[in-house]
Every structure is written in C-alpha cells, then in structure tokens.
Amino acid sequence: DTGVSQDPRHKITKRGQNVTFRCDPISEHNRLYWYRQTLGQGPEFLTYFQNEAQLEKSRLLSDRFSAERPKGSFSTLEIQRTEQGDSAMYLCASSLTGTGVANYGYTFGSGTRLTVV
Amino acid sequence: QKEVEQNSGPLSVPEGAIASLNCTYSDRGSQSFFWYRQYSGKSPELIMFIYSNGDKEDGRFTAQLNKASQYVSLLIRDSQPSDSATYLCAVIVDGNKLVFGAGTILRVKS
C-alpha cells in the first residue's frame, strides 16, 4: 500500500466547467475526508465518509460540490460550474477510526491543485 | 473565535536553536491533538500527536499539552534549515473531524 493517492495532481479549467477529482485511500482505512486549502490558510474541512456513508458536510460545501464513495473504497469530488473562487488545493485524507481505536491522525494524499481561469 | 488559533509568523530561529510553536483551541471536549508539517506546495505530514496532559518527546520534537489552558505547543530542538516549513496544529472536534489552525511559518537560518 503506497498511501493515499489523488488524481489528477493539477487541473486547469475554464470558469463554468465541471471538474471531478479522485481519491484512493489507504485500503484498511474506513474513513475518508476531503479538505480544501488556499494560500496562507490551513486545510478546511469539506466532508467525510465512513465506509460508503457520507456523515458530515461543511457549510462551506455549496450545492455545486458533491462527493461520493460508492463502494466504500475510492471517492470522487465533483465541482459543477466552477468559479474562480474554487481555485485551491483539494486534499484527501484517510484514517482508521472507531470505538476503541486510538486516533493516530489522518494520512493525506498529495492533493489536487485546481486553477479556474 | 476560531476553533484553532496559531500565530502566523514567520518565526525565525538560528540553526541549532530551539523553535517553540504555540496553538490554542476552543473546544474543551477535544481529546486528540496533532502537529503537521507542510512544505511549500506539498501536503501536510503528521509529525506528532498527543492525548494526555504533559510532554511527549519524539527525537528532536516535543509536544506539550495543557487541557486546562486549552494550549498545545511544539518544541523543535537543534533546529535545522530542513525544518523550515509551515507547522499546522490540528484538533479533533466533535469527536469526528480534524480542524486545523492557519499554521505558523518557521524559518531556520543557517
């Protein structure tokens, strides 16, 4: 297992286009998280899944954003009708979390850098 | 009030000195605390976690936690130029998600 993988690494798109990012977590991890990070800020929580269930969505996540984890393995994050303000690094992370399991933090992927022009 | 607060820096220290990075958090129920290092253009990398009051040491790094004061710190001994990065403090909130501070930029001058 080589860790958390994200694809693509970079994406340049025109305003108004739709984009989709993919994340493959560490295989034995049951939770998957999406964060967004802009320059000079820490990562901001967007949403997370436990197995295939989406358990929480941030108020930051407008209705143009949708995330899925259909079989409890990889996840996709789609942004519809992109805006320049969507330009950011989109980070995926995974963890093994549960009752009686110590939380050792999240492992992050390399991120997808989105530029909307 | 933000959930996790850090001084943005930059914090400049000479090579070989101790760098001290600080963080405060607002959720009194938080039990798990993390420090991540992030190099420019890269993703965050976990370097320390701490759950109990007191100190936890790992090599040149020491994490300190004071739950009564809602305060977490990271000490880096014998700082090296390769330690120059942004250090992110993160706290588990609502038992479910990791919330990050904005990060402190550390510059180690040789």
Side-chain angles (χ1 to χ4, degrees), chain A residues 31-77:
Chain A
R31 285 197 177 176
L32 185 149
Y33 308 83
W34 285 99
Y35 283 79
R36 178 174 65 190
Q37 187 176 25
T38 54
L39 197 63
Q41 299 299 313
E44 295 175 304
F45 170 80
L46 294 179
T47 188
Y48 86 95
F49 294 83
Q50 178 149 323
N51 301 315
E52 65 275 10
Q54 187 173 19
L55 296 187
E56 187 174 343
K57 292 170 61 174
S58 166
R59 287 186 294 274
L60 293 175
L61 214 62
S62 77
D63 56 8
R64 296 185 298 105
F65 289 70
S66 62
E68 294 182 342
R69 194 183 183 196
K71 296 182 180 179
S73 55
F74 73 92
S75 175
T76 58
L77 178 69

Side-chain angles (χ1 to χ4, degrees), chain A residues 72-106:
Chain A
S73 55
F74 73 92
S75 175
T76 58
L77 178 69
E78 181 182 17
I79 309 173
Q80 296 183 325
R81 305 181 302 282
T82 53
E83 302 173 356
Q84 287 189 320
D86 297 330
S87 296
M89 173 79 86
Y90 289 83
L91 293 162
C92 176
S94 68
S95 72
L96 178 62
T97 305
T99 303
V101 177
N103 192 324
Y104 294 116
Y106 302 175

Side-chain angles (χ1 to χ4, degrees), chain B residues 11-33:
Chain B
L11 173 66
S12 293
V13 300
E15 184 175 356
I18 295 175
S20 177
L21 304 158
N22 305 313
C23 170
T24 57
Y25 61 94
S26 61
D27 183 359
R28 283 199 169 273
S30 295
Q31 299 293 322
S32 306
F33 307 87

Side-chain angles (χ1 to χ4, degrees), chain B:
Chain B
Q1 181 187 7
K2 291 185 178 180
E3 291 177 289
V4 181
E5 300 215 38
Q6 299 180 253
N7 287 326
S8 60
L11 173 66
S12 293
V13 300
E15 184 175 356
I18 295 175
S20 177
L21 304 158
N22 305 313
C23 170
T24 57
Y25 61 94
S26 61
D27 183 359
R28 283 199 169 273
S30 295
Q31 299 293 322
S32 306
F33 307 87
F34 304 85
W35 283 99
Y36 283 79
R37 178 176 61 199
Q38 187 173 30
Y39 293 112
S40 181
K42 303 296 186 182
S43 62
E45 172 193 11
L46 180 66
I47 53 173
M48 289 285 289
F49 60 87
I50 186 167
Y51 305 141
S52 303
N53 277 329
D55 295 359
K56 179 183 178 182
E57 187 175 319
D58 183 2
R60 295 187 297 112
F61 299 99
T62 299
Q64 299 175 316
L65 174 60
N66 183 326
K67 291 184 180 179
S69 300
Q70 296 174 247
Y71 178 90
V72 192
S73 65
L74 179 71
L75 301 178
I76 306 174
R77 290 181 299 281
D78 188 23
S79 295
Q80 301 297 309
S82 59
D83 294 327
S84 298
T86 297
Y87 288 81
L88 298 162
C89 174
V91 177
I92 294 287
V93 170
D94 298 332
N96 287 322
K97 63 178 184 283
L98 205 55
V99 175
F100 287 84
T104 299
I105 297 170
L106 174 66
R107 294 180 180 154
V108 181
K109 297 181 178 179
S110 58

